[in-house]
């Protein structure tokens, strides 16, 4: 076996191969008029507060919304001075409850470094499913760590948090 850079002729051949199957079978990404469309690039950021503090104590952001499979990725952070007080749990519970209540999203997912034991514990406490591991995917201080992917489906959320 050998390989070489693809030529224009090769690209035309590859396009013909694609006609044998439907695009819907080759991608889970959004489609428009039979062509792959970009995800919705909107990034929504929510600031979270507690009664006794004027500044935010947490941030929740969701993005990479895919209307075809009704999913979105999210990330979060708690102000360092307010960690280990249950704020992350309350923040995620409130944000996910609101998203599942006001959108048609079926799945929310996130990625966290294997070194982030607090985040892993929080996601597991909220009954997220560990979907997979991206091996040695996250460089930190010269070391490569695994990244863990977690998700929760609407029906799982409703079952555990209704």
């Amino acid at each position: 076996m050998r390989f070489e850079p693809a030529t224009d002729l090769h690209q035309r051949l590859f396009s013909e191969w694609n006609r044998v199957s439907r695009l819907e079978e080759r991608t889970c990404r959004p489609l428009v008029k039979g062509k792959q469309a970009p995800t919705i690039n909107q990034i929504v950021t929510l600031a979270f507060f507690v009664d006794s503090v004027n500044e935010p104590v947490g941030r929740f952001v969701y993005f990479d919304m895919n209307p075809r499979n009704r999913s979105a990725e999210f990330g979060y952070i708690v102000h360092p001075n307010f960690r280990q007080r249950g704020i992350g749990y309350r923040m995620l519970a409130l944000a996910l409850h609101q998203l599942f209540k006001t959108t048609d999203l079926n799945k929310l997912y996130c990625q966290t470094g294997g070194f982030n034991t607090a985040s892993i514990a929080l996601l597991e406490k909220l009954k997220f499913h560990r979907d997979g591991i991206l091996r040695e995917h996250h460089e930190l201080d010269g070391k490569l760590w695994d990244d863990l992917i977690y998700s929760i489906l609407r029906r799982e959320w409703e079952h555990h948090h209704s």
Side-chain angles (χ1 to χ4, degrees), residues 6-20:
T7 65
D8 289 342
L9 173 61
H10 298 142
Q11 297 293 4
R12 286 192 295 278
L13 290 171
F14 299 152
S15 291
E16 288 176 24
W17 297 354
N18 285 336
R19 285 179 250 193
V20 175

Side-chain angles (χ1 to χ4, degrees), residues 15-84:
S15 291
E16 288 176 24
W17 297 354
N18 285 336
R19 285 179 250 193
V20 175
S21 62
R22 295 172 44 224
L23 183 57
E24 292 88 342
E25 297 170 332
R26 296 190 310 274
T27 183
C28 68
R29 306 311 291 172
L31 302 174
V32 174
K33 297 181 182 177
K35 296 195 182 279
Q36 190 167 338
T39 56
I40 298 169
N41 289 326
Q42 178 184 17
I43 298 172
V44 178
T45 303
L46 305 174
F48 286 79
F49 298 84
V50 292
D51 290 338
S52 60
V53 181
N54 290 333
E55 67 180 66
V57 296
R59 182 199 72 196
F60 178 91
V61 58
Y62 64 101
F63 51 95
D64 195 17
M65 288 162 266
N66 183 327
R68 181 169 172 218
N69 67 15
R70 299 183 357 256
S71 69
E73 186 171 358
F74 71 92
Y76 55 92
I77 189 168
V78 174
H79 187 296
N81 294 341
F82 292 91
R83 293 180 182 162
Q84 301 299 314

